[in-house]
Amino acid sequence: MALAGRRDAPEPPDFGILKRLARDQLVYLLEQLPGKKDLFIEADLMSPLDRIANVSILKQHDVDKLYKVETRPAPGASDQFCFLVRPRVRTMRFIADVTCDEWSFYLLPLDEDIISMELPEFFRDYFLEGDHRWINPVARALQLLNSLYGPFGKTHGIGRCAKMSYELWRDLEEEGDGEGQGRKPEIGHVFLMDRDTDYVTALCSQVVYEGLVDDTFRIKCGSVDFGPDVTSSDKSIKVLLNSQDKVFSQIRNEHFSNVFGFLSQKSRNLQAQYDRRRGMDIKQMKDFVSQELKGLKQEHRLLSLHIGACESIMKKKTKQDFQETIKAEHSLLEGFDIRESTSFIEEHIDRQVSPVESLRLMCLLSITENGLIPKDYRSLKTQYLQSYGPEHLLTFHNLKRIGLLTEQAAGETLTAVESKVSKLVTDRAAGKITDAFNSLARKSNFRAISKKLGLIPRLDGEYDLKMPRDMAYVFGGAYVPLSCKIIEQVLERRGWQGLEEVVRLLNGNEFSVSDSAVEDNPAWDCQRVILAVFLGGCTFSEIAALRFLGKERGCKFIFLTTAITNSARMMEAMIEAKA
């Protein structure tokens, strides 16, 4: 699919059916146990369950009491127990002698264009532990989407996990009855990407509004808890953040510097609408109260919350030297003032600002600099362990294994490493490259990839964040997200042709496959609907960047991710020293 400069992006498919399917199957399973029963739910399934079937629906089907799995039932509990758990060893110790059934709940729509599998552990399980158990749910999720909104015409991907998921999905399709073949699809293209294809983007501080809200307050399952510092009361409020929120939908993808101005203007417009009441007669006032007042009050409430959230973000970020951090990040991305940025990270560690933030900055330094020189690696590691505790030794081991924080081999220059990797990758006779060489390749290529794809915009004067010209706006004009640039390039070229050098630097495992049974009709809207699948997590910055690209090119991106992620979640998944 070539990305044309059309502005009329198609509407996304209706993902409400995914919720209805999950709810109907859950109700069916509950009805297999007639009579009163208590339901034990794993803690991290509570929020997703609430989005699928609330307490009143559960009560309608004879669920008496709800407990967390690790909680003992209260005296006088029901004779029948129902357990809703993921297949984890640690959970099974609470359960014995039970009849098992499967609730095929793979997909939770968080918004009209975002579907999450709510598997935050996928990142650590697969990329650190090498555990492949979640590949089956990914393949089954793709099979379900293909049956409902396909058949998908073209599938692209990069990464080992992406390739395995695709191959298992195709196997499942061959075993199935080819449901959906012959009908007009709603999604034309699929792009699967492993998180380790692009760690840099996930490590950068987010500066679009939705990303900042996630970094500051933690968006969980599509909603956020705003505390008293936001609500200006003694209560916390849980707010659902999606396109139904008229205020949020207009600022979610904006660079934070534009948000206050928008909210201020919105406040004035609302006030003007309220002021219209003054010259109204009785009939007009009655119509105003019955038709408009409720909507205005709701908008006013949301406006107050988002203004409060902005003020809270500003206070917290000012305290954390956010501007200095952003400056250091931009220097790392561009490859300038590295010594100065290293000193900034050392000071950050010495001041004990935050163990997670310090780790994030060290990882960003390592990846952009193709591994740390041994002297810097030892120095930063020693300072970190002295500041935050020796129990973090295992954390450094994890980060090294996954390729996030590595040490350059003594006396080995970047050119030497690159030429070694080049020989390995281009020599097809050598067969598959081992994990060790993959790790070596991963830590040596950001600068070369950045140059090849033009990830650092060259500017004459200031970057206009009010009227952005490319996806770099999501990082203040300093950097185009690598993951999004790859997707853009592959869709433009209808495959990986002309990107051989980039693929080599990304360790291969790329693929592009067309389904010959699907008619490739460019006039169909589905040809401009792309399902972007992120294995290991997707950030709100990447979502904002691809939404921008979709608007510019007249196409619609739908996001399927194993979970929403950010730099803190990635670091926490690697940390062994639990507080």
Side-chain angles (χ1 to χ4, degrees):
M1 171 198 144
L3 290 178
R6 292 171 60 179
R7 303 274 168 168
D8 54 331
E11 286 299 305
D14 174 20
F15 293 123
I17 192 170
L18 295 171
K19 279 189 186 178
R20 293 193 291 276
L21 281 172
R23 185 186 305 127
D24 290 349
Q25 196 194 6
L26 179 63
V27 165
Y28 170 79
L29 291 172
L30 290 173
E31 286 176 347
Q32 299 309 296
L33 200 64
K36 201 167 80 162
K37 53 198 154 280
D38 289 344
L39 182 60
F40 291 78
I41 311 168
E42 203 164 355
D44 63 355
L45 281 174
M46 284 189 157
S47 293
L49 178 65
D50 193 43
R51 296 287 300 264
I52 296 294
N54 56 28
V55 174
S56 62
I57 290 173
L58 298 176
K59 295 280 185 193
Q60 284 167 29
H61 297 279
D62 297 322
V63 172
D64 187 31
K65 292 187 179 68
L66 294 170
Y67 299 98
K68 284 187 180 177
V69 165
E70 58 270 25
T71 313
R72 289 187 179 280
S78 306
D79 294 334
Q80 300 189 102
F81 296 157
C82 218
F83 294 89
L84 197 58
V85 297
R86 299 238 194 236
R88 297 173 177 133
V89 174
R90 70 170 187 262
T91 314
M92 292 305 131
R93 63 197 172 96
F94 295 108
I95 305 165
D97 301 322
V98 291
T99 306
C100 290
D101 210 329
E102 184 185 5
W103 180 32
S104 304
F105 168 54
Y106 304 120
L107 301 166
L108 177 67
L110 298 180
D111 206 344
E112 62 177 22
D113 61 351
I114 305 175
I115 307 166
S116 173
M117 295 186 71
E118 291 301 304
L119 289 173
E121 66 265 57
F122 184 105
F123 177 67
R124 181 184 170 106
D125 285 355
Y126 178 80
F127 293 102
L128 180 67
E129 309 289 356
D131 186 340
H132 292 188
R133 67 186 157 139
W134 300 119
I135 288 174
N136 185 273
V138 170
R140 291 198 177 277
L142 289 167
Q143 184 187 27
L144 176 60
L145 290 172
N146 191 51
S147 70
L148 294 172
Y149 307 106
F152 306 145
K154 188 115 181 175
T155 305
H156 311 281
I158 187 160
R160 192 180 300 171
C161 184
K163 205 164 193 175
M164 284 193 287
S165 301
Y166 170 76
E167 286 167 357
L168 181 55
W169 164 39
R170 295 323 297 171
D171 289 346
L172 291 171
E173 289 291 346
E174 283 171 23
E175 289 168 17
D177 55 4
E179 195 182 340
Q181 291 293 340
R183 74 155 182 245
K184 188 176 172 183
E186 292 180 72
I187 296 172
H189 298 260
V190 183
F191 199 112
L192 290 93
M193 182 177 288
D194 285 12
R195 182 69 272 172
D196 69 352
T197 302
D198 175 17
Y199 281 143
V200 170
T201 299
L203 287 170
C204 290
S205 294
Q206 303 194 81
V207 287
V208 291
Y209 180 66
E210 191 166 14
L212 266 170
V213 170
D214 188 38
D215 282 356
T216 311
F217 304 103
R218 286 287 170 104
I219 297 173
K220 188 179 177 186
C221 218
S223 62
V224 66
D225 285 316
F226 284 140
D229 56 329
V230 172
T231 61
S232 303
S233 68
D234 54 354
K235 289 180 182 172
S236 291
I237 296 177
K238 189 173 187 176
V239 180
L240 201 58
L241 296 176
N242 58 26
S243 51
Q244 301 303 306
D245 179 333
K246 286 183 182 175
V247 178
F248 177 69
S249 62
Q250 291 176 281
I251 57 175
R252 66 192 311 178
N253 303 315
E254 290 292 321
H255 188 276
F256 191 65
S257 61
N258 300 333
V259 173
F260 263 123
F262 173 85
L263 293 176
S264 174
Q265 183 59 50
K266 188 86 177 167
S267 183
R268 287 195 291 273
N269 294 349
L270 264 181
Q271 191 56 53
Q273 285 179 281
Y274 274 121
D275 291 346
R276 283 173 40 227
R277 294 173 297 175
R278 287 177 186 161
M280 288 181 180
D281 58 29
I282 292 173
K283 184 181 182 306
Q284 288 170 326
M285 181 64 80
K286 190 178 175 184
D287 289 344
F288 176 79
V289 170
S290 63
Q291 293 167 21
E292 293 181 54
L293 189 60
K294 190 180 176 184
L296 287 174
K297 281 185 173 176
Q298 169 71 352
E299 213 167 327
H300 184 266
R301 186 185 75 85
L302 292 169
L303 187 63
S304 300
L305 282 172
H306 289 297
I307 289 171
C310 284
E311 287 170 344
S312 181
I313 288 168
M314 288 286 282
K315 278 180 200 162
K316 286 172 182 168
K317 294 302 179 188
T318 305
K319 208 181 282 183
Q320 293 167 2
D321 296 332
F322 192 55
Q323 289 304 324
E324 286 300 308
T325 306
I326 294 285
K327 188 181 162 192
E329 283 180 33
H330 289 182
S331 295
L332 293 176
L333 292 166
E334 292 166 20
F336 296 134
D337 301 327
I338 299 304
R339 187 44 52 200
E340 200 177 303
S341 299
T342 307
S343 300
F344 175 80
I345 296 169
E346 287 174 332
E347 187 192 328
H348 198 277
I349 294 168
D350 291 343
R351 284 166 46 217
Q352 298 182 332
V353 178
S354 152
V356 170
E357 273 290 284
S358 296
L359 267 188
R360 175 183 77 82
L361 291 167
M362 286 162 68
C363 290
L364 193 58
L365 171 64
S366 171
I367 288 186
T368 54
E369 281 302 291
N370 317 303
L372 301 177
I373 58 172
K375 181 170 74 75
D376 282 353
Y377 181 84
R378 285 194 299 271
S379 169
L380 285 166
K381 183 177 175 181
T382 303
Q383 288 175 69
Y384 189 92
L385 295 173
Q386 285 172 347
S387 276
Y388 298 116
E391 62 272 20
H392 283 284
L393 263 171
L394 271 176
T395 302
F396 279 85
H397 172 72
N398 290 345
L399 292 168
K400 200 167 200 172
R401 269 180 65 191
I402 206 170
L404 276 167
L405 184 54
T406 58
E407 183 180 6
Q408 287 177 12
E412 187 155 45
T413 63
L414 173 58
T415 345
V417 173
E418 281 190 328
S419 80
K420 210 182 260 187
V421 172
S422 169
K423 273 182 199 160
L424 281 165
V425 179
T426 51
D427 183 6
R428 292 293 178 192
K432 288 188 178 177
I433 303 167
T434 62
D435 286 347
F437 283 121
N438 262 333
S439 169
L440 175 65
R442 209 169 30 240
K443 74 179 183 184
S444 63
N445 298 332
F446 176 74
R447 289 271 175 265
I449 293 167
S450 177
K451 198 173 174 184
K452 279 271 171 207
L453 292 175
L455 301 182
I456 310 299
R458 296 285 163 241
L459 298 177
D460 298 322
E462 287 287 305
Y463 188 97
D464 187 355
L465 292 167
K466 282 193 168 63
M467 296 288 288
R469 63 187 195 191
D470 57 25
M471 294 185 283
Y473 90 92
V474 300
F475 292 115
Y479 162 69
V480 179
L482 169 58
S483 53
C484 305
K485 190 70 174 180
I486 292 169
I487 291 171
E488 177 197 40
Q489 289 293 304
V490 172
L491 291 174
E492 269 188 5
R493 297 163 189 264
R494 300 172 184 254
W496 296 94
Q497 300 81 6
L499 294 170
E500 290 82 6
E501 182 66 10
V502 172
V503 165
R504 179 183 74 74
L505 294 165
L506 289 168
N507 309 309
N509 285 307
E510 83 289 356
F511 58 94
S512 280
V513 187
S514 296
D515 186 340
S516 53
V518 180
E519 186 186 346
D520 187 12
N521 188 335
W524 285 359
D525 271 355
C526 73
Q527 296 300 328
R528 295 183 291 124
V529 179
I530 304 114
L531 177 68
V533 184
F534 286 84
L535 302 171
C538 176
T539 67
F540 284 118
S541 296
E542 288 165 312
I543 290 172
L546 287 173
R547 280 176 179 153
F548 173 85
L549 181 66
K551 274 186 189 167
E552 289 291 297
R553 306 296 176 88
C555 56
K556 185 76 180 176
F557 284 95
I558 307 295
F559 304 91
L560 167 60
T561 178
T562 48
I564 294 293
T565 194
N566 59 19
S567 58
R569 290 188 187 97
M570 268 178 63
M571 294 298 97
E572 285 160 9
M574 295 296 108
I575 289 175
E576 290 292 348
K578 304 297 179 193

